[in-house]
Amino acid sequence: MRLTKEQTERNRQAIVEAASRLFRARGYDGVGLNEVMSEAGFTHGGFYNHFASKEALAAEACRCTFERKEAALAVGLERMAKESAAGGALHRFLDAFLSPEHRDDVAEGCPSASLVADAGRQGVEMQAAFARGIEGYLATFSDQLAAPDPSLGEPARDSAERRTVATALVAQMIGALVLSRAVSQADPALSDELLAAGRDGAVRLRTAPRPSEPAGSGKRKRKRKRRQ
Amino acid sequence: MRLTKEQTERNRQAIVEAASRLFRARGYDGVGLNEVMSEAGFTHGGFYNHFASKEALAAEACRCTFERKEAALAVGLERMAKESAAGGALHRFLDAFLSPEHRDDVAEGCPSASLVADAGRQGVEMQAAFARGIEGYLATFSDQLAAPDPSLGEPARDSAERRTVATALVAQMIGALVLSRAVSQADPALSDELLAAGRDGAVRLRTAPRPSEPAGSGKRKRKRKRRQ
DNA sequence: TGTACATCAGTGAACGCGCGTTCACTGATGTAC
DNA sequence: TGTACATCAGTGAACGCGCGTTCACTGATGTAC
């Protein structure tokens, strides 16, 4: 039953996409190759015709999902920028990213949130894919922060500060999203509150002045024991 | 070989503590009961004398770890408050929480970061334990924000705003920590940058004015498709 | 306080099951002539 | 262009292994008298 090269490539992509959704929804250890293959429409035996191992599939799925999301992000921000007032694109993106819909749709959601725990625990190939994806986000948000915004207290930031603020923004968004997902079944009110506070915090980060004595400067001595 | 009640309780605690460390380090699905029991010093057969299921153990481990960390947090903040200038306790805590040492010691680190992915995927009992732990953190940080700080732009916040800022702070800290862990092997520089930006962002959140048009108000219409 | 017995925490073997991975086989595709 | 054969994607059975869970057994502890 040999297939054409084109069909083989389509089948391979179907496996990657099934893996992408399943890994996001239930984690690397929570999904078997059998389920990935049958979700993609195949029996499990043919898996190793396409991939060297489960780990290699996970790394490729991570890479592929980030690329797709980044492309969608760029298009989305551009469109929002045209539709909104100056500086409003980021606000609208935040509303979508920290929405109940995004929280509840893990399988189709941003991989930076759903794969963050697996990336720390899997091999270096997956970590590299994850790091590359995060770098892409940081670059996009840094650029976005350069756009003029009438509500900004200090409109002209230098590029180093834009990068720092973009990084804090990404941490804020992903932290709020993973936390709201972690409590959504047991405490829906807290889950919603986490989303709202994340949106609020992201806006504060955008408009906050540079701290006079940054905690992140690394200049303060840390000689006592770690506490948490 | 029946044991005294006291010894039985000590043994049970040993199992919970072994599970706490192992689950934090490698996740719920990444650790077997066999390993938990042998780490605690027992054979695996006796597990069900203490717990109804693996899930029940995970929930108890989550509960127990949060309680311990919260107690340490309260003591630590109090001590820092005595040693530091007004408002400096939170900065010092941030330095410790977002330190490379805390990032690299997942097994002993804060459960809010290491268990956040599992909480979203496991049963409601574990989610409830996680939610309770987060609520405790929010209460502690809200209180902490009431402390006078000379560097604050608006020193007198009302309690609702303190709660919002505390929630954003927790999201910022946990987001930066899990992201820095997710890339620490593949991109150590990015990992350090995430920690530093997290500290910087947390300080900005503390000092930022209330946003004039909060994105988190939920009043903006969201009729377009989710983008991420 | 002493005795008899029920309780139950720990042991280690066993259960069925699903995991990641391998393999012999099939047969249409791609390729060499 | 036509023919002969090597290639290889998919199938389905099988591999060893570790998983969560169960169970008969042991023997010191806790309890009833």
Side-chain angles (χ1 to χ4, degrees):
Chain A
M1 300 187 175
R2 192 176 182 182
L3 309 178
T4 66
K5 286 179 181 177
E6 292 74 20
Q7 189 59 53
T8 298
E9 183 53 31
R10 273 195 296 272
N11 291 353
R12 184 189 158 95
Q13 268 307 308
I15 298 171
V16 171
E17 274 162 40
S20 166
R21 270 177 277 120
L22 288 167
F23 285 148
R24 273 181 281 172
R26 302 214 304 275
Y28 180 84
D29 287 322
V31 182
L33 291 182
N34 200 331
E35 192 176 1
V36 170
M37 290 300 280
S38 82
E39 179 85 3
F42 304 101
T43 54
H44 65 281
F47 175 79
Y48 292 90
N49 292 328
H50 292 289
F51 305 98
S53 64
K54 187 187 183 183
E55 229 182 303
L57 169 66
E60 176 149 347
C62 183
R63 226 176 287 126
C64 165
T65 315
F66 264 113
E67 277 168 19
R68 189 160 309 188
K69 286 293 177 183
E70 254 184 273
L73 171 60
V75 170
L77 281 177
E78 197 176 345
R79 193 151 69 85
M80 288 178 185
K82 281 180 192 155
E83 294 174 5
S84 308
L90 198 57
H91 285 197
R92 288 182 59 179
F93 171 78
L94 281 168
D95 277 355
F97 193 93
L98 292 175
S99 67
E101 291 78 22
H102 188 200
R103 173 194 61 200
D104 297 337
D105 193 10
V106 196
E108 297 295 340
C110 179
S112 56
S114 46
L115 301 180
V116 71
D118 284 326
R121 288 163 182 155
Q122 249 58 58
V124 77
E125 196 186 349
M126 178 148 180
Q127 275 210 11
F130 192 90
R132 196 184 160 82
I134 294 296
E135 281 284 8
Y137 278 23
L138 295 183
T140 301
F141 284 115
S142 292
D143 288 352
Q144 197 59 217
L145 289 175
D149 185 339
S151 71
L152 264 182
E154 304 178 4
R157 304 175 192 263
D158 61 59
S159 85
E161 195 189 359
R162 280 202 300 273
R163 167 92 180 182
T164 298
V165 172
T167 309
L169 258 176
V170 166
Q172 175 76 37
M173 284 163 35
I174 291 173
L177 183 59
V178 296
L179 282 169
S180 81
R181 280 174 177 167
V183 303
S184 62
Q185 303 300 313
D187 196 337
L190 177 59
S191 182
D192 289 343
E193 188 185 356
L194 281 157
L195 291 180
R199 294 192 296 266
D200 188 88
V203 174
R204 284 178 197 253
L205 283 176
R206 243 214 125 175
T207 56
R210 184 199 292 270
S212 51
E213 185 211 20
S217 67
K219 300 223 179 76
R220 188 197 309 271
K221 274 204 273 186
R222 251 180 282 123
K223 58 173 192 275
R224 71 207 168 281
K225 275 181 59 183
R226 180 178 37 78
R227 212 156 305 275
Q228 278 290 328
Chain B
M1 298 188 175
R2 192 178 182 181
L3 309 179
T4 66
K5 286 180 181 176
E6 292 75 19
Q7 189 58 51
T8 297
E9 182 52 33
R10 272 194 297 272
N11 292 353
R12 184 190 159 94
Q13 267 308 309
I15 297 170
V16 171
E17 274 162 41
S20 166
R21 269 178 278 119
L22 288 168
F23 284 149
R24 273 181 282 172
R26 303 213 304 275
Y28 180 84
D29 287 323
V31 181
L33 291 183
N34 199 330
E35 192 175 0
V36 170
M37 290 300 279
S38 82
E39 179 86 3
F42 305 100
T43 54
H44 65 282
F47 175 80
Y48 292 90
N49 292 328
H50 292 290
F51 305 97
S53 65
K54 187 187 183 185
E55 231 182 302
L57 170 65
E60 176 149 346
C62 183
R63 227 175 289 127
C64 165
T65 315
F66 263 113
E67 278 169 19
R68 190 161 308 189
K69 287 292 178 183
E70 254 185 272
L73 171 61
V75 170
L77 281 177
E78 196 177 345
R79 192 151 70 86
M80 289 178 184
K82 282 180 190 153
E83 294 174 4
S84 307
L90 197 59
H91 285 196
R92 287 181 60 179
F93 172 78
L94 281 168
D95 277 354
F97 193 93
L98 292 174
S99 68
E101 292 77 21
H102 188 199
R103 172 194 62 199
D104 297 337
D105 193 11
V106 197
E108 297 295 339
C110 178
S112 56
S114 47
L115 301 180
V116 71
D118 284 326
R121 287 163 182 155
Q122 250 56 58
V124 78
E125 197 187 347
M126 178 150 180
Q127 275 210 12
F130 192 91
R132 196 184 159 83
I134 294 297
E135 281 284 8
Y137 279 22
L138 295 183
T140 302
F141 284 114
S142 292
D143 288 351
Q144 197 59 218
L145 289 176
D149 185 338
S151 71
L152 266 182
E154 305 177 3
R157 304 175 193 264
D158 62 59
S159 83
E161 195 189 359
R162 280 202 300 272
R163 166 93 181 182
T164 299
V165 173
T167 308
L169 258 176
V170 166
Q172 176 76 38
M173 285 162 35
I174 291 174
L177 183 59
V178 295
L179 282 169
S180 81
R181 281 175 176 166
V183 303
S184 61
Q185 303 300 313
D187 196 336
L190 178 59
S191 182
D192 288 342
E193 190 186 355
L194 282 157
L195 292 181
R199 294 192 295 266
D200 189 88
V203 173
R204 283 177 197 254
L205 283 176
R206 243 214 125 175
T207 57
R210 184 198 291 269
S212 52
E213 185 212 19
S217 68
K219 300 222 179 78
R220 190 196 308 271
K221 273 204 275 187
R222 251 178 283 123
K223 59 172 189 276
R224 71 206 167 283
K225 274 181 59 183
R226 183 177 34 77
R227 211 156 307 274
Q228 278 290 328

